[in-house]
Amino acid sequence: MSSMRLVLLPVLSLFAAVLLFAQQDNRPVGVIVTRTVEQSNAVLLQLKQGMNFSVVAREHSIDPSAQDGGYLGLSGAEHLDAHLRDAAERLQPGQYSNAISLPSGFAVVTIFKRAPETHDLDSQKIASIPSDKPVRQSINVAGMSEEDSVFEEYSKRDGWNLDLHEPCTIRKESHQAAITRMQTLLAAAEGGPSLGNGPKPAPIEIMRSHVALAQLFAFVGDLDSSIREWSSAYHIAQASVPGAIPYMQEALGVSYLHRAGIENGVMRDSGTIDIFPPVDPTAHYNNTEDSQKAVQYFLSFLDQAPADLQVRWLLNLAYMTLGEYPDGVPAKYRITEPAKETSGESVGRFVDVAHEAGLDSFQLSGGVIVEDFENRGLFDVVTSSYDVCGHLLYFHNNGDGTFSDRSEATGLAKIAAGANVIQADYNNDGCMDILVLRGGWQVPMPLSLLRNNCNGTFTDVTREAGLGGHVFATQTAAWADIDNDGWLDLFVADEQGPSQMYHNRGDGTFENISLGAGIDRTQFSKGVVAADYDNDGYPDFFVSNIRGNNFLYHNNHDWTFTDVAAHAGVQSAWQSFGTWFFDYDNDGWPDLFVASDSASVEETMRTYLGLPHSVGTMKLFKNMRNGTFSDVTEAVGLNKVFMPMGANYGDVDNDGFFDFYLGTGNPSYGTLAPNVLLRNKGGKSFVDITVSSGTGELHKSHGIAFADLENNGNEDIVVQMGGAVPSDAHALRVFRNPGHDNAWIAIKLTGVKTNRAAIGARITVTTQDRNGETHSFYRTVDSRGSWGASPLEQHIGLGPASRIAKIETWWPTSDTRQEFKNVGLDQYVEIKEFAKDYTMREKKAYRIGAPQPPPMSTAQANIRSGAGEGKP
């Protein structure tokens, strides 16, 4: 019996006992179970301080009911343990007991005033609780963990990680040293030159050595050598270690499928062969030998484990590369559900136009920024990479539907790449600067602050700005003006050390106020985003943690913050990853999305097949306007698992409600699952439109940005592709929006007393439709998600509006408001803080790959011309 089972069984006896009472008395019972009396006393202290019982249960209880806030339901039974019965019978709704000692630990019982917003426990759910079924993780075939171990053990000089080029040198040297060492040891173990008089290693040890060597070759993309080593390990397994045979079969199938992709060029020139489902089911790889071998290994695996969803799915993909999906797949292994469009909705089909646009980036996973770096009314593109030997890329918008690589001219080719990049005008000079984040999933490294010189070049000012000398393991940070002094401050989350807060002095330098600010806690943090969630005029921060509870730091208006995640009810998302604040229902209050990280293809397949999950889903928390949030995940249809790495949001159909796009991934070559485009239906629910939109890219996806690259009023989706190892690089994707009939407006705010980039400023656009009904759309200036940065210019879809009744702005530093009436639809405007008029901005529309903009009908032109006088 597993240790999980041993711990769970005594807890279940308590759970069942309290559940019996709940049935008998028909009252909503809750419980918090802890292992020690000290933990129970801490729980009681939080409850006495006014913390919500369900929030505390989700944070501290070891009982299976913790996921439901301690709620045990209304169904029940016949009797109750005497101690629990005596305590519960004395409680009135809203009260809770003292700590009750039990053989399994300590319990605090409550009677809820009303049942929490969760499903009552039924017999099926109760039966599932004691399951100790492990999560089926994706097989590790990429060599990342082996390579990281080699890197970590390699001899290094003091201060090596302060030099941004040293990690690349060490990576290359340590890799080659490990290959040489492993080959020498294997030669000796298998009868080559003797290295001593010790006993010959057992077959299983020799097999493991071949596996390690296979992984090291896989890391650098030497798939020929890697497959040779996997085959040697497989032969040993067949002869002496039969229990390892399925693992070797799966590893060989994954390796052949990955090599097939490389040899057929789908990483560099994707086309549509790696969009699921295939646009043309008869399309296939030209060289199919490796795909056929992959099929044979997957079939051999499934002969022994026919229900394994991971390998069944990979088998289906292998048949897809042969042009034989779905009919060619053996019926008992066929998976077609991911190809079904259950919503029956479509916003049109997106087409990848990156190559036609000249956006020929070929990198590993990383970040992307789409922004007007040159103040020309055109969006340029900056990409980064996880590769420690890589550098930043800068693509200049030529204004005719094409981009030019100006990485050398801008100076960014000399800047070491990083896991992510975000933009901000930190010095208020009107030119957007770049922050490079490094070390996420790797080893701690410095970040870089790159000042935009307003002449097409950038200068690294990290040290002179006061941000040098510290190393981070991070991919995430957020800019916000924490004290409304008009200068953007910086919050940097960390995976291996405490988060850091840097206050902007307003002279080009920052001071570290982390300790006094109260945010310097250590967790494996993967996302940080800012928003004024309680509308008190000051930005707060949310930090998602892949291990442990999430943090919601409330701004105390004095350079200090208090973590209120437990009280607010947002600390409990399972293995949290990408995150953002956004007003998904247009009620004027920022809501919170938190993605869950699950390195499991099987769990993703369970979503598509409608099967129960063994892991937690992504979360959507609705802002309740009282400092707390309500988990509405299931209510809006987001109780799903998709393995998202990159994630961001935008409005793909200009209906005024935010949609979002999830880029799936994991370092293993076997982690292949479609990206996901989810459409927001009026703030009520989200539906999957991946199939109809053609955005189901199968390969790894990371930094994501939504931006109107063609100046035609539709947001395109820019995706920085690529995995985490050198042989998993991929071409950038630009999914061009097919266009819609809905109205829109794009607004650029420029601060005067508020920070120049207007980060944190708010916009409300009120429209009238043809029936005379009014609608309001709310936006806050930021770059949106925590991995990938969209423009700070706010693109706002307006649905079927016939006119804009008014545009209102609020500026946080000056606490001033503006109102402009009779602004025309479908145009670009700039609003400056304190200004009496707005400014119309001329932007030439163009079509990537075509010289002329798409035509607009006469009716559209007449409806959308508007007054546009710019008068309040």
Side-chain angles (χ1 to χ4, degrees):
M1 183 179 291
S2 71
S3 59
M4 179 187 299
R5 183 84 174 207
L6 289 170
V7 170
L8 198 56
L9 283 178
V11 174
L12 281 174
S13 63
L14 165 63
F15 170 82
V18 179
L19 181 59
L20 299 185
F21 171 78
Q23 282 186 315
Q24 184 180 29
D25 203 8
N26 198 31
R27 297 198 293 173
V29 178
V31 66
I32 297 173
V33 182
T34 63
R35 291 190 176 89
T36 69
V37 68
E38 290 80 12
Q39 292 170 337
S40 190
N41 288 337
V43 163
L44 287 168
L45 178 60
Q46 285 190 294
L47 294 175
K48 290 175 182 176
Q49 291 173 340
M51 293 293 185
N52 181 276
F53 190 95
S54 290
V55 170
V56 178
R58 286 194 294 268
E59 186 172 20
H60 294 294
S61 181
I62 63 172
D63 189 84
S65 64
Q67 64 182 342
D68 289 324
Y71 179 45
L72 300 180
L74 295 174
S75 55
E78 306 166 9
H79 63 277
L80 179 66
D81 174 271
H83 296 89
L84 297 175
R85 181 179 63 245
D86 291 345
E89 286 179 347
R90 291 194 295 266
L91 296 177
Q92 296 299 315
Q95 295 180 336
Y96 52 86
S97 71
N98 292 320
I100 304 166
S101 178
L102 297 165
S104 57
F106 296 84
V108 176
V109 179
T110 191
I111 304 297
F112 290 108
K113 291 182 178 180
R114 60 179 180 274
E117 294 180 1
T118 184
H119 289 299
D120 288 349
L121 297 177
D122 54 29
S123 58
Q124 182 178 0
K125 186 168 183 180
I126 295 168
S128 71
I129 291 174
S131 171
D132 60 355
K133 181 178 62 177
V135 176
R136 170 56 153 105
Q137 298 291 334
S138 296
I139 188 172
N140 174 25
V141 180
M144 183 174 172
S145 58
E146 289 79 7
E147 192 76 19
D148 285 348
S149 296
V150 166
F151 182 94
E152 183 177 348
E153 294 171 3
Y154 194 74
S155 178
K156 309 175 187 68
R157 64 178 177 83
D158 290 342
W160 64 272
N161 56 344
L162 292 174
D163 182 341
L164 292 176
H165 301 288
E166 188 74 5
C168 175
T169 300
I170 295 172
R171 177 71 78 187
K172 292 177 179 178
E173 291 178 353
S174 63
H175 172 82
Q176 189 54 55
I179 291 286
T180 302
R181 177 65 173 166
M182 288 297 302
Q183 288 175 327
T184 302
L185 291 173
L186 271 172
E190 296 179 329
S194 176
L195 291 180
N197 298 319
K200 184 174 181 178
I204 191 171
E205 296 301 328
I206 298 176
M207 182 189 72
R208 288 170 177 165
S209 297
H210 280 293
V211 169
L213 196 51
Q215 297 281 31
L216 292 174
F217 282 128
F219 179 85
V220 295
D222 185 353
L223 271 296
D224 295 342
S225 297
S226 181
I227 288 173
R228 183 181 65 244
E229 298 299 329
W230 281 117
S231 297
S232 296
Y234 184 36
H235 293 148
I236 294 173
Q238 289 175 310
S240 306
V241 194
I245 288 175
Y247 179 84
M248 300 304 168
Q249 291 169 334
E250 184 178 1
L252 279 163
V254 167
S255 299
Y256 276 115
L257 186 60
H258 187 69
R259 189 170 73 173
I262 293 175
E263 292 184 349
N264 284 276
V266 296
M267 309 298 195
R268 286 191 176 273
D269 185 17
S270 294
T272 59
I273 189 65
D274 52 357
I275 296 291
F276 189 87
V279 177
D280 179 3
T282 64
H284 58 80
Y285 288 173
N286 292 324
N287 182 345
T288 61
E289 181 180 355
D290 281 345
S291 292
Q292 291 170 347
K293 290 179 179 178
V295 164
Q296 293 309 309
Y297 279 110
F298 291 146
L299 286 173
S300 296
F301 177 100
L302 290 168
D303 284 342
Q304 305 164 73
D308 188 279
L309 281 177
Q310 159 115 355
V311 176
R312 283 180 58 197
W313 170 243
L314 292 174
L315 175 69
N316 280 256
L317 295 185
Y319 274 106
M320 180 179 128
T321 67
L322 295 173
E324 299 176 13
Y325 174 86
D327 295 339
V329 184
K332 60 183 176 180
Y333 299 140
R334 190 179 302 142
I335 296 178
T336 58
E337 281 76 2
K340 293 179 180 177
E341 191 72 88
T342 56
S343 69
E345 298 188 9
S346 174
V347 296
R349 195 160 190 89
F350 290 66
V351 178
D352 179 20
V353 294
H355 180 69
E356 290 85 345
L359 288 166
D360 293 319
S361 165
F362 185 75
Q363 294 176 292
L364 301 188
S365 65
V368 61
I369 305 172
V370 180
E371 187 57 84
D372 183 3
F373 285 105
E374 301 172 39
N375 288 329
R376 299 173 301 128
L378 299 170
F379 291 136
D380 310 297
V381 178
V382 171
T383 67
S384 186
S385 170
Y386 183 84
D387 187 358
V388 294
C389 297
H391 61 80
L392 301 187
L393 293 178
Y394 183 96
F395 294 95
H396 166 84
N397 191 326
N398 298 321
D400 60 359
T402 65
F403 292 76
S404 297
D405 185 343
R406 290 194 181 175
S407 306
E408 292 285 349
T410 58
L412 296 189
K414 298 178 181 178
I415 304 299
N420 199 8
V421 283
I422 55 174
Q423 82 275 36
D425 183 3
Y426 81 95
N427 57 358
N428 285 345
D429 65 354
C431 300
M432 210 62 68
D433 313 298
I434 298 173
L435 180 74
V436 186
L437 302 158
R438 301 187 179 91
W441 297 116
Q442 296 177 310
V443 295
M445 288 183 278
L447 50 75
S448 292
L449 179 62
L450 309 177
R451 184 186 66 211
N452 188 334
N453 299 317
C454 301
N455 62 2
T457 67
F458 293 82
T459 299
D460 188 337
V461 296
T462 311
R463 288 194 173 275
E464 64 188 74
L467 300 179
H470 189 94
V471 292
F472 296 90
T474 186
Q475 63 175 50
T476 185
W479 293 95
D481 184 357
I482 64 171
D483 53 358
N484 283 333
D485 65 352
W487 299 90
L488 288 172
D489 311 299
L490 177 63
F491 188 121
V492 185
D494 202 304
E495 297 174 3
Q496 301 179 26
S499 295
Q500 302 291 307
M501 176 73 76
Y502 294 94
H503 181 256
N504 193 331
R505 293 189 177 101
D507 60 0
T509 68
F510 295 81
E511 58 181 316
N512 192 329
I513 62 169
S514 307
L515 180 60
I519 55 84
D520 57 336
R521 300 166 67 184
T522 299
Q523 272 286 13
F524 202 101
S525 300
K526 297 305 296 180
V528 57
V529 285
D532 180 9
Y533 78 91
D534 56 353
N535 279 345
D536 67 352
Y538 287 79
D540 313 293
F541 295 95
F542 177 80
V543 181
S544 64
N545 299 312
I546 204 167
R547 297 169 191 161
N549 298 321
N550 298 326
F551 307 142
L552 178 61
Y553 290 115
H554 178 260
N555 191 328
N556 299 323
H557 309 175
D558 59 1
W559 290 14
T560 70
F561 295 79
T562 300
D563 179 16
V564 296
H567 173 71
V570 295
Q571 85 293 354
S572 61
W574 184 87
Q575 289 195 323
S576 301
F577 202 83
T579 185
W580 56 71
F581 284 103
F582 71 152
D583 186 358
Y584 83 94
D585 54 358
N586 272 319
D587 68 352
W589 293 75
D591 310 297
L592 179 64
F593 172 82
V594 189
S596 62
D597 174 61
S598 170
S600 173
V601 170
E602 179 177 282
E603 291 300 318
T604 297
M605 290 302 106
R606 286 178 169 274
T607 285
Y608 288 120
L609 295 169
L611 299 174
H613 290 291
S614 301
V615 300
T617 69
M618 54 189 174
K619 292 288 186 180
L620 180 63
F621 297 103
K622 176 178 172 58
N623 194 323
M624 301 307 292
R625 310 185 191 187
N626 61 0
T628 68
F629 293 77
S630 176
D631 185 347
V632 297
T633 308
E634 187 169 356
V636 300
L638 293 180
N639 52 329
K640 306 176 187 301
V641 175
F642 286 124
M643 288 192 305
M645 297 292 288
N648 213 330
Y649 65 95
D651 186 357
V652 296
D653 53 359
N654 281 342
D655 68 348
F657 290 87
F658 284 126
D659 317 295
F660 63 91
Y661 188 64
L662 303 176
T664 62
N666 172 263
S668 174
Y669 297 146
T671 307
L672 298 172
N675 289 355
V676 182
L677 182 59
L678 293 162
R679 184 187 190 189
N680 186 337
K681 294 203 62 177
K684 304 296 184 183
S685 64
F686 289 82
V687 295
D688 189 342
I689 58 169
T690 307
V691 172
S692 63
S693 64
T695 55
E697 165 68 59
L698 285 165
H699 289 107
K700 317 305 185 348
S701 305
H702 291 82
I704 294 170
F706 285 75
D708 179 7
L709 289 182
E710 298 181 319
N711 289 345
N712 64 359
N714 298 297
E715 286 195 300
D716 311 296
I717 306 175
V718 182
V719 189
Q720 168 67 7
M721 302 290 300
V725 303
S727 64
D728 214 5
H730 199 286
L732 185 80
R733 287 279 205 180
V734 178
F735 290 109
R736 178 168 61 199
N737 194 314
H740 312 282
D741 290 333
N742 285 329
W744 56 273
I745 191 163
I747 302 175
K748 179 181 179 181
L749 296 187
T750 301
V752 176
K753 189 174 181 180
T754 298
N755 69 88
R756 184 76 174 266
I759 290 176
R762 302 180 201 167
I763 302 168
T764 303
V765 179
T766 302
T767 67
Q768 282 188 335
D769 60 24
R770 293 176 180 83
N771 297 321
E773 295 183 2
T774 61
H775 306 272
S776 292
F777 303 93
Y778 302 89
R779 298 292 183 267
T780 299
V781 177
D782 61 13
S783 58
R784 304 188 188 176
S786 58
W787 200 338
S790 301
L792 295 182
E793 177 179 292
Q794 296 299 294
H795 178 96
I796 308 173
L798 302 176
S802 60
R803 61 181 290 267
I804 294 176
K806 61 181 177 180
I807 296 176
E808 301 167 277
T809 63
W810 175 78
W811 302 85
T813 298
S814 62
D815 192 21
T816 57
R817 302 179 186 274
Q818 297 161 296
E819 182 177 307
F820 303 93
K821 295 182 178 180
N822 299 319
V823 181
L825 298 168
D826 297 359
Q827 61 179 309
Y828 301 87
V829 301
E830 181 172 354
I831 298 175
K832 196 170 186 178
E833 189 175 12
F834 304 123
K836 300 298 183 182
D837 301 337
Y838 69 85
T839 302
M840 292 186 62
R841 305 173 69 217
E842 294 296 330
K843 283 192 178 187
K844 179 184 176 182
Y846 51 82
R847 187 172 178 83
I848 291 174
Q852 297 297 324
M856 177 181 288
S857 68
T858 303
Q860 286 177 313
N862 291 337
I863 291 173
R864 302 187 180 182
S865 60
E869 295 298 324
K871 300 296 183 182

